[in-house]
Amino acid sequence: MKKILLVEDDPNLGMLLQDYLQLKGKYDVQLARDGEEGLAMFQKDNFDLCILDVMMPKKDGFSLGKDIRKKDPVIPIIFATAKAMIEDKSEAFTLGGDDYITKPFRIEELLLRINALLKRVANQSNAGGETPDKFEIGKYHFDYTLQSIKHEEAVQKLSTKEAELLRLLCLKKNQVLTREEALLSIWHDDNYFNGRSMDVFLSKLRKYLKDDPSVEILNVHGKGYKLIVN
């Protein structure tokens, strides 16, 4: 049974989500009432996914997400909040969030998002030999399964979406990866907001690869992106 850390300061909503996800999703859901309690629970136990409310007392969800990412760079994180500004959504993905859901939301939709994220992680872990999962990118070694980039002795851990996006770029190295292809493959929807979040991940990938001048991720105007390795 997969274990989920749910951090929600609204006691009624928290209990409702916990009961529903345990009953319908068959997940083991541990509920924390604020960010500090959530961090303490995360440090004491092993979880497969985190759902973090953003506006909470003691420690807000974004701060908690930062702390979790320091300890586990790959665990899927879903931020849940009533804040719907594009800046807030961009911050959620910049911090390494894998998904974002705006309150009020249907619990059924949250369950679908959880199922999709955990299925994606499972597929990565069980990936066979049909397509490569290890790539040489200039001076970098990218391991898709481990979600890491190694350069000399330094290792950069990647979030799930960062690893998926870099893998798509590697599979089409020196060719155009269309924006629509990347969005539909990873986000399953090519809407404007998902496009903005993908831009955030591309910026982070460029930062990770910046120490090798022979490696570039180019914007191809009106089409998409191209990973160039000279």
Side-chain angles (χ1 to χ4, degrees):
M1 181 181 291
K2 298 291 186 180
K3 184 175 288 188
I4 294 175
L5 174 62
L6 170 63
V7 189
E8 171 59 61
D9 68 322
D10 183 327
N12 293 326
L13 178 59
M15 292 182 64
L16 177 65
L17 292 174
Q18 183 183 36
D19 290 345
Y20 183 89
L21 295 177
Q22 290 185 151
L23 179 64
K24 297 293 186 180
K26 307 300 181 184
Y27 295 117
D28 177 4
V29 182
Q30 303 298 309
L31 176 61
R33 305 294 186 181
D34 59 62
E36 289 186 357
E37 182 183 358
L39 181 59
M41 292 175 66
F42 182 81
Q43 292 172 330
K44 292 179 181 179
D45 210 341
N46 294 317
F47 294 93
D48 298 287
L49 181 141
C50 298
I51 304 169
L52 311 179
D53 183 30
V54 172
M55 300 183 70
M56 294 188 295
K58 298 184 181 180
K59 183 186 287 288
D60 66 87
F62 287 155
S63 298
L64 176 57
K66 284 182 182 179
D67 291 337
I68 288 174
R69 271 286 167 260
K70 290 177 184 176
K71 298 181 177 298
D72 190 331
V74 300
I75 186 170
I77 297 176
I78 299 176
F79 288 104
T81 179
K83 302 171 72 175
M85 296 293 291
I86 187 66
E87 292 81 6
D88 299 316
K89 296 180 180 181
S90 294
E91 182 175 2
F93 286 110
T94 300
L95 293 174
D98 295 278
D99 207 346
Y100 186 108
I101 190 166
T102 304
K103 296 179 179 179
F105 55 80
R106 293 176 60 87
I107 303 180
E108 296 88 347
E109 180 185 354
L110 176 61
L111 179 57
L112 289 172
R113 290 172 183 250
I114 292 169
N115 292 342
L117 270 175
L118 291 176
K119 181 179 179 181
R120 197 176 305 158
V121 172
N123 287 341
Q124 282 183 217
S125 300
N126 298 324
E130 297 176 358
T131 54
D133 57 9
K134 295 181 181 179
F135 304 87
E136 299 301 325
I137 312 172
K139 298 178 181 178
Y140 296 91
H141 176 74
F142 167 44
D143 191 314
Y144 170 70
T145 303
L146 297 179
Q147 296 184 201
S148 66
I149 301 173
K150 185 175 183 180
H151 177 233
E152 297 178 347
E153 297 303 315
V155 177
Q156 173 66 55
K157 297 297 291 184
L158 304 179
S159 70
T160 300
K161 279 190 169 61
E162 288 169 353
E164 290 180 341
L165 184 55
L166 183 54
R167 183 168 181 263
L168 286 180
L169 288 164
C170 288
L171 290 171
K172 304 197 74 169
K173 185 173 67 174
N174 296 323
Q175 304 175 52
V176 174
L177 171 66
T178 68
R179 191 173 178 85
E180 292 75 17
E181 180 182 353
L183 287 169
L184 292 174
S185 175
I186 300 172
W187 279 266
H188 310 294
D189 192 327
D190 60 351
N191 63 45
Y192 170 79
F193 168 62
N194 287 338
R196 286 289 300 272
S197 67
M198 183 169 69
D199 291 339
V200 172
F201 287 109
L202 283 165
S203 296
K204 295 177 76 172
L205 290 176
R206 289 187 177 105
K207 180 181 177 181
Y208 300 152
L209 300 171
K210 66 180 176 60
D211 290 332
D212 186 347
S214 71
V215 177
E216 290 184 276
I217 300 176
L218 301 179
N219 287 338
V220 181
H221 182 68
K223 294 184 178 179
Y225 313 96
K226 183 185 290 188
L227 174 63
I228 300 292
V229 182
N230 296 315

